[in-house]
Amino acid sequence: MRLATGREEIYRGVPASPGIIIGSTRSLSRDVENVSADRIVDSEVEKETFRKAISQVEKTLEKTAAKVFQRLGPEFARIFEAQVMIAGDEVWNKNVEKRIEKEKICAEYIYHNESKKVIRRLGNSNDAYLRERVQDIEAVTARLVSRMRGEKRVTLRDFKGATVLVARYLTPGDILALSVRRNLGFATGIGGPTSHTALIAKSLSVPAVAGLGRITEEISSGQRVIIDGYKGLFIINPSGNTIKKYRQLKKSESQLKRQLAQLKDKAAVTKDGFKVDILANIELPEEVNLALSLGAEGIGLFRSEFIYLQSTSLPSEEDHFSIYSRIAKEAYPYPVYIRTVDVGGEKNLPQLKIEKEPNPALGLRAIRLSLRDKDLFKIQLRAILRASIQKNVKILIPMITEIEEVEEVKLLLQEVKDELKTKRIKFDEKIPLGVMIEVPAAAAITDLLVKEVDYLSIGTNDLIQYYLAVDRSNEFVSYLYKPLHPSILRLLKFIIETAHREGKEITVCGEMAADPLCAIALFGLGLNKFSMNPIFIPRIKKALRSVEYKTVKRVIQKAMTLKTAQEIEECIIENILAKHPKAFLMGQMI
Ligand code: PEP
Ligand code: MG
């Protein structure tokens, strides 16, 4: 535990969910401490107590799964089902019983000891998915140990007032138990791309900062802190001035939220009458309603890999189909762009048996993997086609590098269509097919690619990483990750203008679209279709409704003549943002 200095200290983490909380900490230790190897007298009694404890843990987890199912739907519930499976693992539990009999030591010590061994193995894995499973095992072990010790679990509903829950990580169960509370924030030590914490925090509108490192394990309960989920800041012992500043921000935040809520049914139309379509990126089917309630005009990107991330086995055609048709029905009459699976690389899944690769970002991922495992790909295509009967579904292919891949996709799609026709299964015969432009090679042949497909969608997250040779998740080079780098703007200009010249639709679905400054740059380059995380839709609408296209176009033309990202940024701020402080400076916040 670290000693409180009383001085203001600012820690920078990853902004996981927007919002501000000024409150006191509640620290949640994840370690099951002091599990001693107590000798037991009767191994039969100990084994029986162990079995009972396991069955109680399973029951509690099943109950939580049912509650979560009700509140948030099947996808979240699956997270708990994974924990039920760990608790009920027969091989593991039999092994614990064998050791109880042989070593005459208490069950909680042996269980804890076994789980440490597995965690060590998984924790060293390069695979983010496997590392995430460590959290599930730790959660089950903590439950089991406290059951065996007869301890009452601290329920997180107990504390009063504005609270920032600080922990190395939080399980979905923790977050759910808390979701009834208002005035709550999370600060976690870890948090990666497959972290459920950030996702659930966003869906429940709980401000959160992740990736804060060791400080979350060192801080004690009852410390005065602020978390700033917009910037990813965790401020310990904030000074009077800082508190004043954040109180003011919170006040503006509420005013702005009220103002932005009024934009829900208003289109993003500029002052001189240009209409921009605003769609939502989602990972979970549950987010469709949130997206529509925030004014989305469709689902511009459904990252279908989430279906794989929640299950330990491969999803069936029916699993795919039920999710796609639910999204399509809920979003109707708006369009839904279903991106075929983008796993591989960092998102390695054990179900897919991908070899470990030396350079995963450049490896067997997304469409490359789908074209290797064609049967799996066809299952997904079949499910998407079956969900397309209302004619509001589009297929989007990730990580296209060359024309040959598109040709192969088209052949497979035709095969699946023919199979469905033979079986007299209905689908949208004219289902639009589009590709992501996120590999520089694809960007360079936009003129050729665009003729092969119905539409394009620019994935700026990957396009920037590959064009600038800057790993998008590596904090050591993040200072070089510049969406407004002149090279990126030139490339985007070429892609957008080429697609429009061919009369084809083009969207940006990378994070750039959700940043007001970058959105203005994209708009000035002629982009009229944006897709983004739903919570950012109101601020982009607000920004676009405040400007005139002709002014933005002129400013971006001027910005394109500048030499550095910083000069470009300053040019846009000076000529656009500063002229509309209400729309932008506050809009930056939400
Ligand atoms: C992108 O690369 O911009 C994109 C939208 O895809 P993802 O973030 O899922 O890689
Ligand atoms: Mg991408």
Side-chain angles (χ1 to χ4, degrees):
M1 195 58 63
R2 74 199 256 297
L3 291 173
T5 61
R7 274 199 318 270
E8 176 173 294
E9 295 170 48
I10 302 178
Y11 293 86
R12 192 172 284 277
V14 179
S17 175
I20 291 160
I21 296 289
I22 307 168
S24 37
T25 53
R26 169 73 198 210
S27 140
L28 186 73
S29 168
R30 282 272 150 226
D31 295 328
V32 185
E33 283 153 21
N34 307 324
V35 188
S36 51
D38 296 336
R39 311 254 352 136
I40 50 149
V41 187
D42 187 336
S43 53
E44 285 311 311
V45 173
E46 185 67 6
K47 280 197 296 189
E48 188 49 37
T49 319
F50 170 63
R51 271 181 230 127
K52 265 202 198 127
I54 281 284
S55 131
Q56 280 163 343
V57 168
E58 276 182 282
K59 266 197 211 120
T60 317
L61 286 167
E62 274 160 8
K63 257 197 227 153
T64 315
K67 251 197 270 165
V68 176
F69 189 97
Q70 227 180 9
R71 207 184 295 174
L72 289 172
E75 283 67 35
F76 283 121
R78 256 179 233 163
I79 298 162
F80 293 94
E81 283 153 14
Q83 292 185 12
V84 175
M85 272 167 62
I86 293 168
D89 190 311
E90 279 189 24
V91 180
W92 183 328
N93 294 343
K94 278 267 164 306
N95 185 29
V96 171
E97 288 191 28
K98 264 195 220 139
R99 282 188 59 188
I100 295 175
E101 205 165 291
K102 199 164 141 223
E103 298 168 34
K104 300 268 185 297
I105 288 177
C106 65
E108 62 267 34
Y109 176 82
I110 294 178
Y111 196 94
H112 184 235
N113 181 262
E114 286 293 321
S115 98
K116 270 203 306 204
K117 281 194 226 161
V118 178
I119 287 169
R120 206 172 307 127
R121 252 201 337 266
L122 295 182
N124 287 336
S125 158
N126 287 334
D127 183 329
Y129 176 82
L130 287 181
R131 282 200 310 273
E132 290 262 322
R133 301 288 69 74
V134 167
Q135 299 179 9
D136 291 328
I137 296 175
E138 280 179 348
V140 174
T141 307
R143 274 179 193 277
L144 193 271
V145 170
S146 51
R147 277 263 170 219
M148 289 296 297
R149 289 165 162 179
E151 288 165 359
K152 182 179 172 288
R153 272 178 74 79
V154 189
T155 87
L156 302 166
R157 291 183 198 189
D158 298 344
F159 20 97
K160 309 252 180 306
T163 306
V164 175
L165 190 71
V166 185
R168 189 159 72 83
Y169 66 88
L170 291 168
T171 66
D174 299 330
I175 299 173
L176 256 131
L178 284 161
S179 65
V180 288
R181 284 261 337 243
R182 290 168 65 85
N183 238 343
L184 175 83
F186 300 140
T188 61
I190 58 171
T194 55
S195 149
H196 300 305
T197 311
L199 207 83
I200 301 183
K202 260 188 211 143
S203 307
L204 298 172
S205 304
V206 177
V209 176
L212 284 161
R214 288 205 62 80
I215 186 67
T216 56
E217 286 162 75
E218 291 166 0
I219 194 163
S220 53
S221 288
Q223 289 236 41
R224 191 104 174 111
V225 290
I226 294 176
I227 63 162
D228 176 346
Y230 298 107
K231 296 209 177 90
L233 300 181
F234 180 56
I235 307 169
I236 303 177
N237 295 321
S239 68
N241 270 347
T242 307
I243 294 179
K244 206 164 130 201
K245 183 182 117 193
Y246 272 96
R247 285 217 176 106
Q248 192 53 44
L249 272 176
K250 264 181 89 74
K251 220 161 118 196
S252 321
E253 185 190 36
S254 334
Q255 278 168 358
L256 185 63
K257 270 190 183 158
R258 274 197 298 277
Q259 267 179 32
L260 290 178
Q262 291 163 6
L263 291 179
K264 174 188 168 301
D265 299 316
K266 298 218 167 83
V269 181
T270 61
K271 287 218 165 343
D272 50 350
F274 278 79
K275 158 88 168 68
V276 178
D277 296 337
I278 309 270
L279 292 86
N281 295 350
I282 61 166
E283 277 88 31
L284 299 169
E286 282 66 33
E287 288 177 280
V288 177
N289 286 332
L290 172 76
L292 298 181
S293 75
L294 289 168
E297 298 163 289
I299 303 302
L301 171 67
F302 171 52
R303 291 184 163 102
S304 70
E305 53 273 15
F306 201 85
I307 301 172
Y308 289 76
L309 294 172
Q310 292 160 61
S311 160
T312 43
S313 56
L314 284 172
S316 66
E317 183 180 322
E318 287 314 305
D319 290 336
H320 282 287
F321 172 69
S322 69
I323 292 174
Y324 304 151
S325 58
R326 177 175 161 197
I327 298 176
K329 276 191 197 124
E330 283 179 9
Y332 188 81
Y334 288 123
V336 172
Y337 297 62
I338 300 177
R339 183 175 74 182
T340 59
V341 68
D342 184 2
V343 288
E346 282 304 298
K347 290 185 235 165
N348 190 358
L349 301 182
Q351 304 101 299
L352 292 174
K353 302 195 173 54
I354 309 165
E355 312 294 320
K356 203 164 164 352
E357 296 173 308
N359 210 343
L362 305 181
L364 193 56
R365 59 172 285 200
I367 190 60
R368 303 171 183 182
L369 194 66
S370 295
L371 291 177
R372 185 192 76 168
D373 294 338
K374 293 198 176 62
D375 289 341
L376 284 181
F377 188 43
K378 281 170 80 176
I379 287 177
Q380 182 168 34
L381 290 178
R382 210 174 297 128
I384 300 176
L385 282 170
R386 282 173 55 203
S388 70
I389 41 171
Q390 295 178 110
K391 302 197 178 6
N392 65 332
V393 172
K394 307 191 190 204
I395 303 176
L396 179 57
I397 310 292
M399 283 287 290
I400 287 287
T401 310
E402 53 175 33
I403 296 279
E404 290 89 327
E405 287 167 331
V406 183
E407 284 167 349
E408 226 178 323
V409 168
K410 281 174 146 173
L411 278 179
L412 286 169
L413 187 62
Q414 194 52 51
E415 260 177 49
V416 179
K417 283 183 177 176
D418 292 343
E419 282 163 25
L420 288 177
K421 267 192 224 159
T422 318
K423 291 188 184 149
R424 294 177 191 280
I425 297 174
K426 288 204 180 112
F427 62 90
D428 176 7
E429 297 210 19
K430 294 207 180 103
I431 189 167
L433 174 71
V435 293
M436 301 269 301
I437 301 288
E438 48 186 350
V439 175
I445 56 163
T446 303
D447 53 327
L448 307 175
L449 270 174
V450 74
K451 293 193 176 73
E452 299 289 324
V453 292
D454 300 301
Y455 68 94
L456 302 175
S457 184
I458 311 176
T460 48
N461 303 342
D462 278 315
L463 187 60
I464 296 170
Q465 102 160 328
Y466 294 126
Y467 207 54
L468 298 183
V470 176
D471 180 346
R472 68 192 245 192
S473 52
N474 179 342
E475 72 254 35
F476 300 114
V477 286
S478 62
Y479 71 100
L480 286 170
Y481 192 93
K482 292 180 183 160
L484 295 178
H485 189 294
S487 67
I488 298 293
L489 292 194
R490 287 174 194 202
L491 185 67
L492 290 170
K493 181 176 178 342
F494 168 71
I495 303 169
I496 294 167
E497 286 179 355
T498 308
H500 283 164
R501 210 171 24 249
E502 289 293 327
K504 295 277 171 75
E505 169 196 316
I506 180 138
T507 319
V508 165
C509 62
E511 295 303 303
M512 238 185 125
D515 177 274
L517 189 67
C518 294
I520 285 298
L522 289 166
F523 181 54
L525 294 176
L527 190 82
N528 55 7
K529 212 175 182 81
F530 292 64
S531 190
M532 63 196 72
N533 185 309
I535 53 177
F536 299 121
I537 289 177
R539 78 173 186 187
I540 297 299
K541 264 196 188 178
K542 171 106 183 148
L544 290 168
R545 286 174 62 85
S546 322
V547 297
E548 284 192 347
Y549 175 60
K550 69 172 192 303
T551 316
V552 175
K553 191 173 168 198
R554 186 178 36 79
V555 172
I556 299 305
Q557 265 167 4
K558 182 176 159 205
M560 296 288 289
T561 63
L562 302 171
K563 284 192 246 166
T564 67
Q566 194 179 334
E567 284 171 16
I568 292 174
E569 194 173 316
E570 281 164 9
C571 170
I572 303 174
I573 291 177
E574 199 177 301
N575 293 291
I576 312 271
L577 273 62
K579 303 227 156 98
H580 306 277
K582 277 211 173 120
F584 284 98
L585 300 179
M586 283 166 75
Q588 284 283 53
M589 216 165 67
I590 294 187

